[in-house]
Amino acid sequence: MRSHVGHTDVVWQTAWNPTKPLLASCSADKTVQLYSYTFTSPPLFSVATNISTDHTRTVRSVAWAPSGKALATASFDSNISIWEPSRDESWEDIDAEHIEWECVGTLEGHETECKSVAYSSDGTLLASCSRDKTVWIWEGVSTPKFILFIPTSKGKILVQPDAEFECLGVLMHHTQDIKHVAWHPKEQILASASYDDTINLYVDDPDDDWYPVAKLIGHTSTVWCISWSPCGNYFTSSSDDLTVRIWIRVKETRGDRWDCIKILKEHERPIYSVTWGKGQSGKDSLGWIASTGGDGKIIVWNIMGKGADIETIKLASLEASHGVSDTNSVSWCLHEGMENILASAGDDHTVRIWEVIPV
Amino acid sequence: MQLDNANPIVFQSAQESFRLGNRDQFILWEDEDKDYVLRDTMEDEPEPIDEQEVFDLIRSISDPEHPLSLEQLAVISASQIKILQNTVHVEFTPTVPHCGLSTLIGLSMRVRLLRSLPNRFKIDIKVKPGSHNSENAVNKQLNDKERVAAALENSALIEVVERCLSTANRRGSVVIESNE
Amino acid sequence: MEHIAQLIRTYMISELPSGNITSGKGTLLQVVKNLGDFLTSEDGNIRVGLLSSVLQKCPDGTLTKQSAHVLIVFYCDKLDDIDTVIPALKGLVPLTNNMNCTDQDAVQIMQSIFQDINMKAHIQSNRLLVLMIVDNLLSRHREALRNMKDEFLRGYVQLAEGEKDPRNLMIAFSIARIILIEFDISSCVEDYFDITFCYFPISFRPPSDDPYGITADDLKRALRACLCATSRFGPLAMPLFLEKLTAGSGVTKRDTMQTIAECLPIYGITVARNHANKLWNTLKIEIFQPIDQDTANCALETTQVLITLIYAMKDDDTTGGTEGIGKEIVNESLEYLKEPEKSKAKPAVKVMAALIRTTRLIRHFTISKTLSCLIPLFRDPAEIINRPATLTALETIIAAVRTVFVPQPKEEHRKYTDERVLDEYKDDLIGIFTVGLKTATTILPSLKGLDTLVQIPALLSDEELGFVVHSVNEVLETADISSDHRSSALGVLASVSQFAPKIIEDTTLPLLFSSLPDTAPPRESTLEHTRYRQILNNLVSLCTPPQLFETFIIRLSTKLDLIFSQKQVADIEANAAYAHYVLLSVSKALAKKNQMGHLDIPKYVDQLIPRIYKLFIQEKQNGTDSSISDYSQLVGIAGKVIEQVIQTVSIERQTTFASSLFQAFLHGQVQKLSEQHVSIEVPLGSFQPFTNTSQFKLVPLLTCPIIALRKEVRFPVDNEIEFVSKLAVWSLDMNASDIESLSVMCAIASIINKHGLSDFVSKHTSDLWKQYIIDETKNIQQRRRVILLWTWIAKALMVHGGTLFETYTNQLFSLFTDTRLRRDAARALGEIGKGGEDVLTKKNFAVIKILTTQKYFNSVLPRIMEGITTNKGSLHVPLCLDQNLSSYPADMEQQAPYLIALTCLIKFIPKAIYAHHMPKLLPLLLRGLDLSDLDLRIDIIETLYATSGDMNQKNDAILSIISEHAPRLCLAMLKNSQVHDQPLSPKLRQIALKYLGVLPGIVRYDILHPYKAQILRELAKCLDDPKRDVRKEAVDTRTKAGKDQIGRNLFDINVILKGLLRVNIDTITSEFEDRGQYLVRRKSSVPGTLDAVLKTPLL
């Protein structure tokens, strides 16, 4: 385990670059830190760059485009920023540590704090959510730039700023603060978790707009986080009600149904984050789930089984992952062969890297 | 502006917290030089943070509407504070069930405790069950760390909070008003 | 002539004003003549400059009426010339102050100024000149100017208009005030209203380095003086005031209300009446929805003024004139009083209280209304839960009444007997409050109420007082020890004892005395011990009046007899402690009486003293086995009591006493100490305190009274020197406990101080020194004793004045090389600074010259400074938090004693003496903080804390030096406030935090701001300190340090930036100069965190 101090304030989230050995973390100090690492075992981390974003308040969330070539940040200042390498060498030969990131666009539209941002599996779509009870879906449009007028929640006209992004829709199907958005790993399905205790799933109606296909009720308090299983047939959610739940997708002629098939109750304080990775338990494993929260505990489960009949085997449980502080986020490394590497972010201003070795 | 509760009941605030601690330790030979006695006894075993101490931290926070302390308005009392290992539970009672400022009061208390307690403590702040119309809503907000974090970045809000906290250091000692 | 001409030439070249002229060697006439062509020179400054510079130096009288006139004319027509106007004005200033400037001149000057000077065109300094001229003329030629009528009035308005500079405003305001009061401004009231009220409310923020020291308050007061200068302003002013009241911030509001309060009486009753309603409507908002207490109080005072004014004359006419605003206010507040438990009730009561302090008429009306509302309320069974609130309200009302009738030092006070406002209610009130005593929740307010009640002179009859006392006694009996009930109950009784001691004596005292045990409770029953201590304290608080004190002494000495008589007690020490506390109480009471200047103390030399001696001496007789008088604390306090009494008796009595005292102690003739009714009987010769070690314990009973003997009282000994030397030897006798030895040393000091004894001082002491100090083999404790003895002798000589003490201080310094004694010697040097403490005092007739501490300080300081700097070594004090304190460079080892001496010294001497040395001292003290000696560090920080104490009356020298070192101070404090691996004393941590807490208050915001983040981070650790008190301090300090407001509003951003650069370079250079870091540091101009600043050079 290694601990990285770089931030001068609470660290909220981390995200692994899908293609390059890069880890991004965002913090209340309004900056994003990029760490590069080696493919050795254990990997060695070093601070690559520190992006001092022009966000005026906490940077709450970071997300990489599947290509790894773009980074999105969501901030309490209600804006989303998009960052891309400033030099246009071909992505493949850039050396991860030396990329300079520049802001290529700011997406304005949310009325209050942005809480989360995510890229769709094919990288064409971006979703963001906010305390203003809306989820926005943006489409990356290639140049020539143009300005687009579209109707918004309050029916008023919104002007897109230097829009390489256009807003495809504003979804207002939660009654409260929306905490987190997550895209299906393969299809264009979006899940959103809310302070109103529910989870919504949305799909795109070809000849209309985005609409919610399901509203999942079950959690008895704020749903903080959602993470899809690598196969896409399940997802897991974590909540203020101190439970982690696993939901399965049931295909039906009339459309899909989503059922909660497991409730894991192992935490003593709000569970701020779950992450579902491939893991290293062979092919009959559905992967590993890690969860963490206000109790600072990190718990790792191996998920075995088929269909609705799955079992969860606790692989590891770690107390006080960030000392006395809360742990705000966990995320699995995506890199081939490093699926057992976990990054966590905490109130103690640090990012920590863990290696899970099943015994 | 229209006050939520224009003329609330004022309660006698208790005397300053009185402890039979080292300070009041008995000395057979009453010594004039208290200070030197103090210096000796202070070296004694640690005094863990207890409910009374937490209460002292928040009892004198001012109500946003009145120049009165939360204690005087019986919004909080020592008995409404519990400490279990590293968790502090604070329960408070809004002056009126519709009090729109409950969240603000709660926030003030949270800020005060965040600043004044060692960070090993987790803090839960809840309104007394049945004492507020939208009890759950208030509790949920006060304990949503993300919301609180965002709130603390809101300068307007923090200004109000600071005003409420400006009296917090009195710790219940009664304000000396020039009784002309 | 020639001579002058030549002088002038030199001046023209050198610009040196010529002394000879001023010293009268030449006449001005000659000057003017010789100025000749210069006077027509192109350069105006030359034309007029010399004369003016000469005049400024002219002693009054060098000018004749005539020449003054010539000059004035000369200057006046220079006023219109742009080149000459300034020197001309410079010339006129002294002239207008000159007695030979006539009224006509004055008028002319004013006219030409009005005509030629356009203030707007001039810079501040010139405008100031003009105003000074006006001011001079106003004070010397007021009549003449008055006769100018409008010409002057309007003219001046022109001058004063649009002035903005505080320096000029101060004088402009004073001018305006004179005009407003002395001149008839009827023709241009509005103009004068404009040039004064346009400044209201005046807000001014002096620059941080304002050399003129004009404060916002000075301006405020000066302006107010104008606003309330004439009644003519009234009609114009009130609307403006009201407007400001509804708008402005808290500050404005307070300023406005205070101003109104001052102006109204001047503006007069009509104005008051016309605006009464409007005014009250705004005031009541401030009272009932106060933004803060101060503002509310201002509003109350203003209300009081308003009402007093309006109803002023109505007091005379009996045709009840409460009609009007006063009545309305009462009724309005009454509504709130009906719910005394609600928050609005409190302000309501205050309003009533304010009204009670107005006029007789309103007072009666208010009281009757209020009481007839509250009294039934209390009785109403439905309102029982609200009784505490009701009682508090009642108490406030009575308290107000009391303030009206209690004799004030200054203003003539009203007699209660003239009005008897409360008579018709007093039965109810007594009833209510005594009922209140019956229930726990209402006891406190009731006691408070009774206390106030009994303090209203001539309200209660003796029977009524008796009844009150009786019911309060009951509380006393039931209330548990150290409950606040008990203390406030005693408060009431104490108040009564002032008017009617008899009642207390008959009822309360017996009660208390009877609850005193005859023998000490077992030591483990803490409560019992606290109990008798409480009771004794209670007695002390009650028994100062002569009558009561007598009983007090009689009862207590019998108690002592009892305690002493018990031989076979289980726990002698507990008993001794009890006896000790009894005597301590006597001593406390004596001290109080002495303070109050009671004259009944001397008689106790016969009534008390012999009994004490009897107790101890006889007690010592029965067997030498462990006895209660073996406890030196007990003997010590007994001695103290004797001393306190002896202080107060006449020379004659002292002399007789002294002889019997010495007879007893030196020759064993104890019975000499007897008095008619107490005889001390012991076998002859059996009392030999100086040979019999067990009796040696009683020596303080000899030494303490010696201390109190007058200079004139000769000792009944053949050879005083011998006697004192004997004492000296005894004081070093290791059989004597520290207390005994100290008491002997004090006696020695007292004798030396009063009787000189130069031989002893010069010869005998040096023997002792050789014998004990030089010989390092002697027992260290004993050598320490010698140092203590030296300290006391030095004190004796020091307060006596002169320089004799230096021999002793020198010897102490010489010990700084002695590794085992250096610290004691160092502390001793500080101790001396304490002076005679409670031994060599005026009360004890010691010879005390003034400024001796000052002299002492000046004599040792240089030596100490030298000691520190010569042993300097590296000036740099390592300042990283992780640095381990337990070890420090050897060179510090030599500095240590000097630093210790310095700290102790500063700790003990008054601030005034060392304040201006602070710039030198602070760096040294900082260094002391890195010594391992915890107590020393505590002392240092306590000293720093003390110095910063009254910063609001700011001492620039200290302030600036502190600012300069602020960052290092902060770090040092943080370092001392953390619980590191090596445990610091909690006291150190606490005081360090405390001091850290004051810094943000006294140091400019921009200096500390760069370090704020780090300071807060470090402080966070202290929040988990094992000690509660330390945590408390940490929380408070952290709050203070966290405050951004401090100063932020005071400094616009570029000041801050400037500050940052400057401070950084200053502190850094001062730190690293002599480490060759100077240049390196210069480069870094923007500070990072503290470590960054301090560590980079170490890389």
Side-chain angles (χ1 to χ4, degrees), chain C residues 879-891:
Chain C
L879 270 187
C880 25
L881 274 175
D882 44 27
Q883 188 236 352
N884 177 359
L885 291 162
S886 53
S887 69
Y888 46 89
D891 57 330

Side-chain angles (χ1 to χ4, degrees), chain C residues 516-767:
Chain C
L516 278 177
D518 291 345
T519 167
R523 66 169 65 210
E524 53 284 352
S525 67
T526 306
L527 195 69
E528 283 308 297
H529 278 271
T530 3
R531 183 169 167 71
Y532 74 66
R533 287 177 190 179
Q534 269 299 339
I535 298 168
L536 284 167
N537 293 340
N538 301 163
L539 285 164
V540 172
S541 61
L542 288 177
C543 292
T544 44
Q547 186 180 355
L548 300 184
F549 185 70
E550 184 149 18
T551 344
F552 176 74
I553 291 298
I554 297 169
R555 300 297 296 268
L556 285 194
S557 24
T558 14
K559 193 60 79 176
L560 281 173
D561 296 342
L562 263 169
I563 303 171
F564 272 72
S565 61
Q566 297 148 356
K567 288 286 143 276
Q568 264 44 52
V569 280
D571 183 346
I572 298 186
E573 184 175 9
N575 233 14
Y578 182 25
H580 171 267
Y581 206 89
V582 172
L583 283 164
L584 182 64
S585 311
V586 175
S587 163
K588 283 183 191 161
L590 280 168
K592 276 177 84 181
K593 287 173 70 65
N594 200 318
Q595 237 173 3
M596 301 187 240
H598 289 185
L599 301 173
D600 57 327
I601 305 181
K603 70 176 183 193
Y604 293 95
V605 73
D606 309 322
Q607 297 183 6
L608 175 62
I609 305 286
R611 303 188 65 163
I612 295 181
Y613 279 112
K614 183 181 167 107
L615 279 178
F616 281 89
I617 295 175
Q618 291 192 344
E619 210 274 348
K620 263 277 155 257
Q621 292 307 311
N622 355 37
T624 52
D625 58 338
S626 80
S627 77
I628 153 169
S629 53
D630 288 343
Y631 294 94
S632 6
Q633 300 100 315
L634 178 55
V635 184
I637 190 65
K640 181 77 188 153
V641 170
I642 300 173
E643 177 189 340
Q644 282 170 296
V645 176
I646 297 302
Q647 280 174 350
T648 62
V649 303
S650 66
I651 299 190
E652 299 64 33
R653 190 65 184 82
Q654 281 200 347
T655 321
T656 50
F657 174 78
S659 69
S660 36
L661 182 67
F662 278 72
Q663 284 298 320
F665 276 81
L666 300 185
H667 312 302
Q669 305 190 3
V670 183
Q671 52 288 4
K672 287 270 194 308
L673 281 167
S674 316
E675 290 299 329
Q676 53 275 39
H677 50 289
V678 252
S679 71
I680 309 172
E681 295 309 340
V682 299
L684 192 63
S686 65
F687 182 63
Q688 299 292 353
F690 288 104
T691 49
N692 169 335
T693 43
S694 85
Q695 292 175 345
F696 193 87
K697 295 247 176 261
L698 297 189
V699 161
L701 300 184
L702 164 68
T703 51
C704 292
I706 286 183
I707 292 168
L709 291 179
R710 285 182 165 80
K711 190 168 185 297
E712 300 73 8
V713 178
R714 286 271 144 243
F715 288 2
V717 289
D718 335 339
N719 177 343
E720 210 170 282
I721 302 269
E722 211 172 278
F723 171 63
V724 175
S725 335
K726 235 201 237 139
L727 286 180
V729 176
W730 280 320
S731 72
L732 301 178
D733 180 337
M734 292 319 284
N735 295 322
S737 78
D738 289 351
I739 296 192
E740 287 132 26
S741 120
L742 179 61
S743 80
V744 176
M745 291 177 185
C746 293
I748 297 173
S750 164
I751 299 170
I752 292 178
N753 170 272
K754 292 168 190 168
H755 302 181
L757 307 184
S758 46
D759 293 8
F760 172 79
V761 172
S762 52
K763 180 169 166 308
H764 292 64
T765 57
S766 52
D767 300 345

